[in-house]
């Protein structure tokens, strides 16, 4: 039952973190790809800086900064935000690339000439053109988030006992006395 409950916790942290990174990635990638120019340059340099930081040590540094006096719920939310802090970059690059390609298509130019608002062009005409890419990106981001939460909890920087997650269970499995009593 602890394994089942731990998988629910790990999955919920991952899904919530992926949802946050999905929103940030679509927003910043959409702004970067549709408007271009100096806005695109600033966002792309921000993405370059974030990508250049090694993922696990960055997560560990942010997690280590969390107060140990926080409740499980506060730690849960903080770990979710930490996981989402850097995982949005790849999605933003995909969204940017697709919008750069699709904004020059005839149907998008026709919407501009017809006087459609920028929001309508982006959400009504361009987004449906790469929804399948978004679904694949989100599907591939979920295991990364699960592994990140598990690694942080295993190292003692994530969810703490008595709360249960896969990382906490793996840490408990290293104790031979705990394994013998199970």
């Amino acid at each position: 039952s602890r394994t089942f409950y731990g998988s629910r916790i790990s999955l919920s942290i991952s899904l919530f973190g992926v949802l946050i990174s999905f929103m940030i990635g679509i927003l910043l990638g959409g702004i970067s790809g549709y408007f271009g120019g100096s806005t695109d340059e600033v966002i792309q340099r921000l993405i370059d800086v974030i990508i250049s930081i090694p993922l696990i040590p960055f997560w560990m540094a942010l997690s280590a900064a969390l107060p140990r006096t926080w409740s499980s719920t506060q730690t849960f939310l903080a770990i979710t935000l930490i996981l989402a802090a850097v995982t949005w970059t790849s999605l933003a690059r995909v969204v940017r690339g697709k919008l750069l390609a699709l904004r020059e298509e005839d149907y998008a130019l026709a919407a501009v000439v017809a006087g459609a608002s920028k929001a309508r062009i982006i959400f009504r005409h361009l987004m449906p053109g790469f929804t399948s890419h978004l679904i694949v990106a989100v599907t591939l981001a979920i295991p990364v988030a699960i592994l990140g939460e598990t690694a942080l909890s295993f190292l003692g920087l994530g969810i703490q006992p008595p709360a249960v997650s896969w990382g906490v269970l793996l840490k408990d499995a290293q104790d031979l006395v705990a394994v013998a009593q199970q």
Side-chain angles (χ1 to χ4, degrees):
S1 67
R2 289 185 71 203
T3 303
F4 179 72
Y5 187 71
S7 65
R8 285 184 41 217
I9 296 295
S10 296
L11 185 62
S12 60
I13 289 173
S14 302
L15 289 177
F16 194 55
V18 167
L19 178 66
I20 292 170
S21 70
F22 185 74
M23 295 302 185
I24 294 170
I26 288 177
L27 179 70
L28 290 179
I31 290 170
S32 179
Y34 187 77
F35 294 107
S38 61
T39 304
D40 181 35
E41 284 296 318
V42 168
I43 292 173
Q44 291 309 306
R45 295 309 68 83
L46 173 68
I47 290 173
D48 288 340
V49 167
I50 292 173
I51 287 176
S52 70
I53 300 169
L55 194 61
I56 297 293
F58 183 64
W59 282 345
M60 289 172 62
L62 291 176
S63 294
L66 296 177
R68 294 292 155 216
T69 58
W70 280 8
S71 68
S72 294
T73 305
Q74 290 172 318
T75 305
F76 173 88
L77 292 174
I79 294 297
T80 301
L81 294 175
I82 288 169
L83 293 174
V86 293
T87 55
W88 61 269
T89 54
S90 60
L91 181 62
R93 288 259 168 111
V94 169
V95 170
R96 174 189 177 265
K98 283 304 201 179
L99 280 178
L100 283 173
L102 293 177
R103 74 178 184 182
E104 303 301 326
E105 293 290 329
D106 291 338
Y107 61 88
L109 295 175
V112 171
V113 171
S117 69
K118 292 181 193 256
R120 181 175 173 82
I121 293 170
I122 291 171
F123 291 109
R124 181 84 171 157
H125 299 285
L126 300 179
M127 288 286 279
F130 63 94
T131 304
S132 61
H133 293 282
L134 296 177
I135 292 169
V136 170
V138 167
T139 303
L140 293 174
I142 291 171
V144 172
I146 289 173
L147 288 173
E149 184 278 325
T150 301
L152 290 175
S153 295
F154 177 73
L155 294 172
L157 299 172
I159 303 296
Q160 299 294 320
V164 179
S165 75
W166 281 350
V168 171
L169 292 175
L170 285 172
K171 190 174 184 178
D172 286 346
Q174 285 188 324
D175 183 14
L176 291 177
V177 175
V179 172
Q181 290 177 355
Q182 300 292 329

